[in-house]
Amino acid sequence: KSYLIKSEKCIQVAKLAFNAGIYENAVSEAYYSIYNTVNSLFYKCGIKCENHSAAVILIKRLFKLDNLYSIFSEFKKDRIDNQYYTPVANAEPITKEKCEEMLKTTQRFNAELRAYMEKTTLEAIDKIRKEFEKIS
């Protein structure tokens, strides 16, 4: 639950940054909102993953959440681009419209993953853990 709280705080900060016109930071916080929701799923299943790239792979390979994998992967790339690289002089790295869509996508991603977590049974968690042991 602590990761879900962190996730919610990140989306709140993303919205504040968006409203202030700081779109690069809004993208980063949106990504971390997703990442923290993913970590909540992992911890529910007894998996500790501190590597962002591995987390993206596990969403697809271990949990078979292909649609969420695509979003998570794209957001990871966008976060890196916006957080670590500078744009060409006088160019915005991300538009207001793209940022706004990303915030909406973040909220949908989080809602879908939370719904998945709620219906994940102990039996399913046991299967996931066994599969994780095979691939790790």
Side-chain angles (χ1 to χ4, degrees):
K1 291 190 183 220
S2 62
Y3 279 100
L4 292 178
I5 292 167
K6 284 178 71 100
S7 172
E8 189 55 37
K9 287 179 181 179
C10 287
I11 196 66
Q12 288 173 3
V13 172
K15 289 176 184 178
L16 289 171
F18 174 82
N19 290 333
I22 308 169
Y23 307 129
E24 293 171 85
N25 294 73
V27 167
S28 292
E29 289 298 323
Y31 166 78
Y32 280 107
S33 178
I34 285 174
Y35 180 72
N36 284 313
T37 302
V38 168
N39 265 324
S40 180
L41 170 64
F42 290 170
Y43 274 91
K44 178 177 180 159
C45 297
I47 298 168
K48 182 178 182 182
C49 180
E50 296 176 339
N51 182 294
H52 293 250
S53 295
V56 171
I57 292 166
L58 289 174
I59 283 296
K60 181 175 186 171
R61 188 160 173 203
L62 190 60
F63 293 92
K64 314 290 191 242
L65 299 170
D66 292 345
N67 183 45
L68 295 182
Y69 160 80
S70 297
I71 294 167
F72 191 18
S73 179
E74 186 65 29
F75 270 60
K76 179 179 168 286
K77 178 190 168 303
D78 288 342
R79 191 264 311 173
I80 290 168
D81 289 347
N82 282 281
Q83 192 170 9
Y84 295 116
Y85 302 109
T86 57
V88 178
N90 297 325
E92 285 296 321
I94 184 168
T95 66
K96 178 181 182 179
E97 294 76 22
K98 168 111 169 131
C99 185
E100 185 173 34
E101 183 57 38
M102 289 181 79
L103 294 180
K104 290 177 184 175
T105 300
T106 299
Q107 291 174 304
R108 285 191 304 270
F109 180 102
N110 288 341
E112 190 173 330
L113 193 56
R114 284 180 178 138
Y116 174 84
M117 283 189 288
E118 286 177 17
K119 65 182 182 182
T120 302
T121 64
L122 290 176
E123 181 179 288
I125 289 171
D126 188 50
K127 284 182 180 179
I128 289 166
R129 289 179 61 117
K130 286 178 182 169
E131 182 63 25
F132 179 71
E133 288 174 13
K134 283 185 203 174
I135 64 174
S136 61

